[in-house]
Amino acid sequence: MQKIELMRKAIQLSIENVANGGGPFGAVIADKKGNIVSTGINQVTSSCDPTAHAEVNAIRSATSKLGTFDLSGYSIYTSCEPCPMCLGAIYWARLDKMYYANNKTDAKNIGFDDSFIYDELKLKPSERKLPSEVLLRDEAIKAFEDWADKEDKIKY
């Protein structure tokens, strides 16, 4: 499939998901030849999972199918510019390229406004709206020290 067809598939998924009671988001992951490896739709309300966004679902499906957490060599086509969580997941999955249709302003205009998260990320933890507090760092650091010393770790 060509880029345009892959994006049309992501858009089709988003439209069908709205018709089926879900959010207006769809995603497709494809290899370099344009073969679809996985798809995802927004299932936040149907699964009661706030992380069940189309892009995350497509990544989960692809990594499960391929048996790897590294999606280098693949691209994602998403019906909308990803939210901060999905963008982070796309980077962590190491996808080669991202294509999107609607942008974050389009999403904001229909009630999916993620700008507050981008704003929060710029702040020091002590200045964010979500109260946070460091606890037991001196105990927790042991796992990090163990990881740093581990010779047979699988880096990701």
Side-chain angles (χ1 to χ4, degrees):
M1 293 180 107
Q2 299 294 324
K3 291 184 225 178
I4 298 299
E5 293 168 306
L6 292 164
M7 182 55 76
R8 283 196 175 121
K9 177 66 175 172
I11 293 167
Q12 175 190 3
L13 289 167
S14 70
I15 292 168
E16 289 171 359
N17 203 43
V18 170
N20 292 323
F25 306 98
V28 171
I29 293 178
D31 64 19
K32 289 182 180 182
K33 294 180 181 178
N35 299 308
I36 294 176
V37 174
S38 69
T39 63
I41 55 172
N42 181 284
Q43 296 176 307
V44 170
T45 57
S46 65
S47 67
C48 297
D49 179 353
T51 68
H53 291 201
E55 299 89 342
V56 170
N57 285 336
I59 290 168
R60 288 174 178 160
S61 177
T63 56
S64 177
K65 181 177 180 180
L66 297 169
T68 181
F69 56 83
D70 185 346
L71 296 179
S72 297
Y74 298 88
S75 296
I76 189 164
Y77 298 78
T78 179
S79 64
C80 186
E81 184 176 2
C83 73
M85 177 187 68
C86 292
L87 185 59
I90 289 165
Y91 275 105
W92 279 114
R94 295 180 180 92
L95 287 151
D96 284 359
K97 189 156 185 178
M98 174 179 69
Y99 301 89
Y100 62 89
N102 295 314
N103 63 38
K104 60 185 175 184
T105 303
D106 298 325
K108 179 180 179 178
N109 290 340
I110 61 164
F112 293 93
D113 185 6
D114 298 320
S115 59
F116 75 97
I117 298 172
Y118 286 107
D119 293 342
E120 287 283 293
L121 289 172
K122 296 175 194 172
L123 301 173
K124 294 177 188 172
S126 62
E127 297 172 354
R128 295 179 184 159
K129 290 184 175 93
L130 177 65
S132 62
E133 180 180 344
V134 177
L135 290 175
L136 303 177
R137 181 179 176 272
D138 57 332
E139 293 179 28
I141 201 72
K142 171 85 169 87
F144 283 16
E145 292 167 348
D146 291 350
W147 175 260
D149 294 338
K150 187 173 177 63
E151 292 185 19
D152 63 342
K153 63 186 161 216
I154 298 172
K155 294 184 180 183
Y156 58 96

